[in-house]
Amino acid sequence: MTFSLEQLVLDNDMISMTKKAMEGVVVNEETMATDAIDKVGIGNNFLAHKTTRKNIDLPSSPMLIDRLMYGDWEAAGAKDIATVAHEKVVDIMKNHEVQPIDADLLKDMKAVVAKADEVFKAGA
């Protein structure tokens, strides 16, 4: 069996986006962008409009997925998702600081483990 830290951060990103989408999407005058739709017109490129770019992350807020237009993505280095995930793993491994467990919680956790050890040793 193998394990990929890059896959883990990709999965985390997908789960976060799914959870965000499950919260629902705010529907109001700004997010409906009817003025922008009217301005762009039928058959034209609404995706490149500033309103779309402003609201694109509302339903999902990706951490790794890049939503730049293709030319902008190329100009920014054209990193594929595996490279971005690897860079995130390297950053986490280098910079992440683990929050210490609260002393009372740690005491309770140790008590649970000690009890389980006793039961195991007793052969129950």
Side-chain angles (χ1 to χ4, degrees):
M1 292 189 57
T2 62
F3 183 79
S4 167
L5 293 175
E6 290 78 9
Q7 185 64 56
L8 183 64
V9 296
L10 284 167
D11 292 347
N12 182 63
D13 203 21
M14 295 296 168
I15 290 166
S16 295
M17 289 190 300
T18 301
K19 287 172 70 175
K20 176 82 172 175
M22 290 175 65
E23 292 173 3
V25 177
V26 174
V27 178
N28 58 32
E29 288 294 321
E30 184 179 345
T31 60
M32 289 289 291
T34 53
D35 291 340
I37 293 169
D38 287 340
K39 189 180 285 185
V40 170
I42 296 172
N44 295 316
N45 186 359
F46 181 71
L47 293 177
H49 193 272
K50 66 180 180 180
T51 304
T52 304
R53 293 191 315 269
K54 179 181 171 193
N55 294 331
I56 192 92
D57 288 334
L58 290 178
S60 63
S61 301
M63 294 177 287
L64 301 175
I65 294 173
D66 192 335
R67 290 190 172 144
L68 291 172
M69 298 300 287
Y70 185 78
D72 295 334
W73 172 76
E74 273 190 319
K79 293 180 185 177
D80 62 35
I81 194 70
T83 300
V84 175
H86 179 72
E87 289 172 351
K88 181 68 174 175
V89 167
V90 169
D91 178 60
I92 291 169
M93 297 298 283
K94 181 179 178 183
N95 298 309
H96 181 72
E97 292 185 25
V98 177
Q99 297 272 341
I101 297 173
D102 179 66
D104 290 335
L105 179 59
L106 185 58
K107 179 181 154 196
D108 292 345
M109 291 168 62
K110 287 181 178 182
V112 168
V113 171
K115 185 175 181 177
D117 284 346
E118 288 175 24
V119 170
F120 179 76
K121 288 176 187 175

